[in-house]
Amino acid sequence: MSIDEEMRDRLIAMARGAALQAHAPYSRFGVGAAVLMTDGTIVTGANFENASYGLSLCAETVALATANAQGRLRDVVAIGVIGGAMDAAGKPTGDKPVGPCGRCRQVINEAAQMGGRDIVIWCGAAEGNAFERHLLSDLLPHAFGPADLGIG
């Protein structure tokens, strides 16, 4: 599947929309993710914090878990992610691209290894047009995953 500028922009826009649903009362840092599947459908997720901080979920993890619940973890092709400090209305702000944290990179790797492809990650700014393109293998070299366990 080709990921052109139009698809990149759609992923970033859908990640921005998802970020508006972020439940981030503690960090006040809203993140949205949009996961592109092999058939062109997109699954979104927003970060979901918990008063017991360790139970919080990142937007990328929520979106990938949703894809997995649909039986589609192997179909992930690309991910768009944005994030930023939330304003008083709960909208993420900022003009610098935000990338996935280390834990999310490991979760994305699960989908990459299960699907047998290097996932493209588009990191966008909450506001404006700034973005960065990365391959998961560049963000998480020498990753541990299903192949190391003899699975996939």
Side-chain angles (χ1 to χ4, degrees):
M1 165 175 274
S2 174
I3 304 168
D4 58 14
E5 287 182 26
E6 182 179 336
M7 182 55 75
R8 176 204 64 210
D9 293 347
R10 184 171 170 221
L11 277 172
I12 296 297
M14 290 189 75
R16 281 187 181 128
L20 296 175
Q21 303 306 315
H23 176 71
Y26 310 107
S27 70
R28 299 293 300 156
F29 194 89
V31 181
V35 175
L36 175 65
M37 312 304 275
T38 54
D39 67 358
T41 60
I42 296 176
V43 176
T44 61
N47 58 320
F48 186 82
E49 293 180 354
N50 188 284
S52 176
Y53 296 148
L55 298 179
S56 297
L57 298 171
C58 298
E60 302 92 324
T61 298
V62 171
L64 287 166
T66 300
N68 184 63
Q70 297 173 358
R72 313 250 353 251
L73 190 60
R74 294 176 188 272
D75 295 341
V76 175
V77 175
I79 297 177
V81 60
I82 70 97
M86 297 167 79
D87 64 15
K91 179 182 176 200
T93 61
D95 59 0
K96 292 190 170 104
V98 171
C101 71
R103 178 177 178 263
C104 285
R105 293 172 192 200
Q106 184 63 41
V107 172
I108 295 166
N109 180 63
E110 189 80 7
Q113 286 195 18
M114 297 303 288
R117 68 181 57 85
D118 200 359
I119 294 174
V120 175
I121 302 170
W122 291 101
C123 304
E127 301 171 309
N129 296 320
F131 62 86
E132 299 171 351
R133 180 190 183 276
H134 301 281
L135 291 174
L136 175 63
S137 61
D138 293 332
L139 295 178
L140 188 66
H142 313 292
F144 180 86
D148 297 293
L149 299 174
I151 302 169

